[in-house]
């Protein structure tokens, strides 16, 4: 079960920041290779901030060091702890729940504003299938 909490955003509402698709590509490659993904939580739960399009996204990273940098750099996430999730459990349990709840999947958010791509759970699941996923339905959003 995914327990999500609201995180207050900072900065201009709806402001988008440019970020290379390299973080997205790295997530796809590293998560498959490592067999696990990482998210963060505090006593109130896992963050699910609202993006510029009004939809919530739950952040995941392909390496603990990537998640740790965001915890260190983003005031809203300071003090959060890392949570390791097996890719099989993530694909079969977490992603269907996020989809049911109408949430997006944030992949490898980075930088002092936790900027990155938000994708539909179906698109992320497709990454782990034989067919390549289409690029529709993704947004690049600042999450602080």
């Amino acid at each position: 079960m995914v327990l999500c909490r609201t995180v207050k955003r900072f900065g201009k509402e709806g402001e988008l920041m440019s970020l290379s698709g390299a973080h997205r590509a790295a997530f796809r490659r590293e998560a498959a290779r490592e067999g696990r993904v990482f998210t963060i939580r505090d006593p109130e739960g896992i963050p699910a901030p609202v993006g510029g399009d009004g939809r919530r996204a739950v952040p995941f990273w392909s390496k603990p060091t990537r998640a740790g940098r965001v915890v260190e750099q983003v005031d809203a996430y300071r003090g959060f702890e890392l949570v390791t999730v097996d890719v099989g459990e993530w694909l079969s349990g977490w992603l269907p729940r996020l989809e049911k709840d109408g949430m997006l999947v944030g992949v490898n958010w980075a930088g002092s504003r936790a900027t990155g791509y938000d994708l539909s759970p179906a698109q992320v699941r497709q990454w782990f299938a034989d067919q390549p996923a289409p690029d529709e339905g993704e947004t690049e959003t600042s999450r602080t």
Side-chain angles (χ1 to χ4, degrees), residues 1-5 27 31 34-47 58-69 71 77 79-87 89-90 94 106 108:
M1 180 171 167
V2 179
L3 172 64
C4 297
R5 74 182 203 110
F27 184 94
E34 300 294 325
R36 57 192 179 156
V37 297
F38 303 86
T39 190
I40 56 175
R41 73 171 169 220
D42 71 358
E44 295 180 45
I46 296 170
V58 175
F60 294 94
W61 291 269
S62 55
K63 291 194 171 281
T65 52
R66 292 180 186 277
R69 278 193 297 272
V71 169
Y77 300 136
F80 279 64
E81 66 181 16
L82 268 63
V83 176
T84 304
V85 182
D86 175 78
V87 167
E89 176 188 341
W90 186 63
W94 288 63
N108 279 351

Side-chain angles (χ1 to χ4, degrees), residues 2 21 26 29-30 39 48 60 63 66 73 81 87-88 106 112 122 125 127 135-138 142:
V2 179
R29 182 181 61 252
E30 292 166 355
T39 190
F60 294 94
K63 291 194 171 281
R66 292 180 186 277
Q73 294 176 354
E81 66 181 16
V87 167
S112 62
R125 264 195 316 273
W127 285 354
D135 284 339
E136 62 188 62
E138 67 186 43
S142 172

Side-chain angles (χ1 to χ4, degrees), residues 79-139:
F80 279 64
E81 66 181 16
L82 268 63
V83 176
T84 304
V85 182
D86 175 78
V87 167
E89 176 188 341
W90 186 63
L91 291 169
S92 65
W94 288 63
L95 294 184
R97 177 64 188 252
L98 292 173
E99 190 165 43
K100 178 181 174 217
D101 292 344
M103 293 191 181
L104 298 172
V105 178
V107 294
N108 279 351
W109 293 351
S112 62
R113 297 189 51 121
T115 303
Y117 282 97
D118 299 332
L119 304 118
S120 72
Q123 184 177 7
V124 175
R125 264 195 316 273
Q126 187 68 36
W127 285 354
F128 294 86
D130 294 334
Q131 304 275 342
D135 284 339
E136 62 188 62
E138 67 186 43
T139 58

